[in-house]
Amino acid sequence: DGGITQSPKYLFRKEGQNVTLSCEQNLNHDAMYWYRQDPGQGLRLIYYSQIVNDFQKGDIAEGYSVSREKKESFPLTVTSAQKNPTAFYLCASSIQGLNYNEQFFGPGTRLTVL
Amino acid sequence: RKEVEQDPGPFNVPEGATVAFNCTYSNSASQSFFWYRQDCRKEPKLLMSVYSSGNEDGRFTAQLNRASQYISLLIRDSKLSDSATYLCAVKPGNQFYFGTGTSLTVIP
């Protein structure tokens, strides 16, 4: 089955710790994205990547880092510099280069900082 | 100004009713438009793309008004299973911009 997987589904972290969220897709999509969703604020873009070994900051990149070493994988690290990391994190992917290239989402990771 | 704005609702409608949501966008260069459905504590799922000529999928109709810079979603004959949050999305370049979502509850 083609799709996007994210792991873990739930993650608990102590303050001051870095944590890495996994995102893998087997849709052969070029573009991948990371969003966070907070109640009442919709989806906010953290980072996106249009091609392997390249990525751009989104609207709220501070305190986060990413890598894109493989087309299928786009892990997100939430660093200790992120002041309010508790949120629902969503990874998405899409075909690049077409106008109506819909985004498809993974099931998300709920991160809670204790 | 936000890229995309939606009325958050909530919309509470009886079964069988027709309900419409609007979503306004600020970037006139936007080329691609979408409606997503998000169930509680789940990921958004694509409901339909919105084409310039308007498009229909069963009980759902999406329309685009470029002059006034808004997209709309019409749901006819509402079902209990339509209860969810509906997000609009706009793509002016390489990024997608999402609205905050409109909450719909269909009441028996």
Side-chain angles (χ1 to χ4, degrees):
Chain A
D1 285 336
I4 304 172
T5 57
Q6 290 186 244
S7 61
K9 188 172 182 180
Y10 297 97
L11 187 58
F12 297 89
R13 179 196 109 173
K14 291 183 179 179
E15 278 192 34
Q17 289 181 335
N18 292 356
V19 63
T20 297
L21 282 56
S22 168
C23 177
E24 304 278 333
Q25 55 97 2
N26 61 3
L27 300 168
N28 200 33
H29 286 172
D30 292 303
M32 297 186 75
Y33 308 79
W34 273 106
Y35 297 89
R36 70 176 275 169
Q37 188 174 34
D38 298 278
Q41 293 199 44
L43 298 172
R44 291 186 291 167
L45 182 65
I46 304 172
Y47 269 98
Y48 67 102
S49 168
Q50 296 174 267
I51 196 170
V52 173
N53 292 323
D54 187 46
F55 48 82
Q56 287 79 40
K57 292 182 179 180
D59 299 321
I60 54 164
E62 185 175 352
Y64 299 97
S65 66
V66 293
S67 63
R68 186 87 187 276
E69 297 176 1
K70 299 187 301 182
K71 187 176 184 178
E72 302 79 19
S73 179
F74 191 40
L76 173 75
T77 297
V78 184
T79 75
S80 56
Q82 170 49 235
K83 297 306 178 189
N84 186 21
T86 295
F88 186 36
Y89 289 88
L90 288 158
C91 179
S93 70
S94 68
I95 296 172
Q96 191 65 10
L98 300 173
N99 252 351
Y100 274 91
N101 44 349
E102 298 92 343
Q103 277 195 339
F104 297 93
F105 287 86
T109 292
R110 290 197 178 273
L111 173 63
T112 302
V113 175
L114 304 172
Chain B
R1 184 182 174 185
K2 288 185 179 179
E3 292 279 345
V4 179
E5 297 206 55
Q6 279 185 264
D7 180 350
F11 284 65
N12 300 313
V13 303
E15 265 187 294
T18 296
V19 62
F21 309 133
N22 281 342
C23 173
T24 59
Y25 61 94
S26 61
N27 191 333
S28 59
S30 298
Q31 293 297 320
S32 306
F33 309 89
F34 311 91
W35 282 102
Y36 285 80
R37 170 195 169 125
Q38 186 174 25
D39 293 295
C40 188
R41 300 181 70 80
K42 298 286 190 181
E43 75 274 22
K45 293 190 176 176
L46 181 68
L47 182 64
M48 57 199 306
S49 302
V50 186
Y51 302 117
S52 296
S53 54
N55 46 305
E56 187 174 306
D57 183 3
R59 297 182 293 108
F60 298 85
T61 300
Q63 292 194 315
L64 167 64
N65 185 317
R66 285 192 183 275
S68 300
Q69 294 185 201
Y70 74 85
I71 61 174
S72 64
L73 177 67
L74 182 78
I75 306 175
R76 291 181 299 278
D77 188 22
S78 299
K79 312 291 186 190
L80 296 178
S81 57
D82 294 334
S83 297
T85 296
Y86 291 82
L87 304 170
C88 62
V90 173
K91 188 173 182 290
N94 292 324
Q95 291 189 36
F96 289 74
Y97 292 94
F98 288 82
T100 53
T102 299
S103 173
L104 171 67
T105 300
V106 181
I107 304 164

